[in-house]
């Protein structure tokens, strides 16, 4: 799968390929339902949404981003791949825009996001080319790196189907922070199912599930698990 890239939209990282693989492997609703739908928060170039569409033929995707440049690029890439009829892309900021627009398009089988998750104090340590050419708002997650992540956790119960899934990519410090956030917000009925390491052995991915049934799911928090290599790959950059 080849995607066009245009500054300042963030170039997909190898870890994002692993996020796609995790969703495909562990979201049963997407594989077995004939009306499965995914909401991607922060679609960027469209890499995650379009990879999911190619991997799971029956899935439809709603892809949102607060950046007009990202929305335009995702639309263009969807058309290049002939996937434009299975994806609806529009500009939306989950932290400031009304949730009702998303609710009207749901409920969703899964919410997937590689949100901005770099701690603000760590931004100066990024590579010079990243700081120069890529959108800082797609990287800077606020003081604790969780500004957008918390927005997703707040809204997920309003947007998901029963036993719907949330898949997040984050900093290795975030799984414990998410666990603490969930303990402070039990009304959301989100349960932490697993924490998955990336190919470098760093805790990177967080999988949650909505609804009371999630309480009976596996909650071992599989911090030792690593993703197997997946045949689908992130796109080379033009």
């Amino acid at each position: 799968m080849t995607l066009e890239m245009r500054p300042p939209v963030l170039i997909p990282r190898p870890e994002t390929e692993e996020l796609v693989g995790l969703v495909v492997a562990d979201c049963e609703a997407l594989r077995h339902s004939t009306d499965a739908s995914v909401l991607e928060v922060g679609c960027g170039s469209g890499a995650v949404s379009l990879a999911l569409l190619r991997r799971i033929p029956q899935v439809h995707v709603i892809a949102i981003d607060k950046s007009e440049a990202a929305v335009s690029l995702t639309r263009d890439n969807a058309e290049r791949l002939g996937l434009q009829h299975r994806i609806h892309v529009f500009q939306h900021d989950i932290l400031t825009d009304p949730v009702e627009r998303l609710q009207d398009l749901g409920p969703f089988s899964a919410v997937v996001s590689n949100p901005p998750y770099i701690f603000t104090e760590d931004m100066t340590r990024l590579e010079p080319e990243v700081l120069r050419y890529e959108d800082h708002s797609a990287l800077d997650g606020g003081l604790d790196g969780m500004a957008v992540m918390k927005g997703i956790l707040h809204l997920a119960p309003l947007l998901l189907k029963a036993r719907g899934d949330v898949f997040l990519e984050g900093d290795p410090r975030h799984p414990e922070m998410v666990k603490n956030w969930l303990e402070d917000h039990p009304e959301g009925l989100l349960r932490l199912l697993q924490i998955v390491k990336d190919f470098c052995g760093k805790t990177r991915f967080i999988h949650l599930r909505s609804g009371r049934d999630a309480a009976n799911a596996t909650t071992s928090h599989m911090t030792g698990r690593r993703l197997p290599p997946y045949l689908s790959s992130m796109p080379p950059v033009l």
Side-chain angles (χ1 to χ4, degrees):
M1 185 175 80
T2 301
L3 298 183
E4 179 184 359
M5 295 302 303
R6 295 194 295 262
V9 179
L10 192 67
I11 297 172
R13 272 46 175 185
E15 293 87 352
T16 304
E17 175 184 351
E18 297 184 271
L19 176 62
V20 172
L22 178 64
V23 176
V24 172
D26 288 1
C27 188
E28 295 182 2
L30 297 185
R31 298 196 309 272
H32 303 306
S33 174
T34 57
D35 63 345
S37 60
V38 173
L39 171 66
E40 186 189 5
V41 178
C43 57
S45 65
V48 170
S49 289
L50 298 174
L52 288 173
L53 289 174
R54 286 173 66 103
R55 290 285 297 272
I56 311 174
Q58 70 273 22
V59 164
H60 287 77
V61 172
I62 302 297
I64 62 172
D65 202 295
K66 67 179 183 180
S67 163
E68 184 178 355
V71 168
S72 175
L73 183 56
T74 294
R75 285 175 178 159
D76 289 347
N77 280 324
E79 291 184 6
R80 285 165 50 86
L81 295 170
L83 297 170
Q84 68 272 21
H85 302 300
R86 294 170 52 208
I87 184 170
H88 178 36
V89 190
F90 60 93
Q91 192 171 4
H92 186 94
D93 185 340
I94 66 162
L95 299 182
T96 59
D97 292 332
V99 67
E100 287 79 10
R101 185 175 187 188
L102 299 178
Q103 288 178 302
D104 289 343
L105 297 168
F108 300 98
S109 308
V111 174
V112 180
S113 184
N114 173 17
Y117 62 73
I118 296 175
F119 290 56
T120 297
E121 66 179 7
D122 295 337
M123 287 290 294
T124 56
R125 303 183 188 133
L126 295 177
E127 296 85 350
E129 61 271 19
V130 173
L131 290 172
R132 185 177 301 116
Y133 296 113
E134 299 194 352
D135 184 0
H136 289 195
S137 69
L139 296 165
D140 189 344
L143 293 178
D144 59 0
M146 285 186 59
V148 175
M149 202 175 292
K150 288 176 185 175
I152 293 171
L153 294 174
H154 271 296
L155 294 180
L158 304 175
L159 300 173
L160 287 168
K161 297 179 180 179
R163 291 179 54 80
D165 291 295
V166 178
F167 295 90
L168 301 171
E169 180 177 335
D171 183 273
R173 292 167 284 184
H174 282 142
E176 190 63 28
M177 296 169 69
V178 168
K179 184 178 178 181
N180 293 335
W181 189 95
L182 294 173
E183 291 174 354
D184 291 338
H185 299 82
E187 71 281 358
L189 294 178
L190 286 175
R191 299 291 183 269
L192 180 61
L193 291 190
Q194 59 179 334
I195 299 163
V196 180
K197 293 182 177 181
D198 63 19
F199 64 93
C200 293
K202 296 180 179 180
T203 51
R204 182 69 63 192
F205 308 105
I206 304 166
H207 179 193
L208 308 102
R209 181 162 293 163
S210 70
R212 293 180 180 178
D213 288 343
N216 299 320
T218 300
T219 56
S220 57
H221 314 320
M222 300 161 61
T223 53
R225 173 185 171 189
R226 296 190 191 181
L227 289 173
Y230 289 96
L231 295 178
S232 73
S233 60
M234 294 305 296
V237 177
L238 291 180

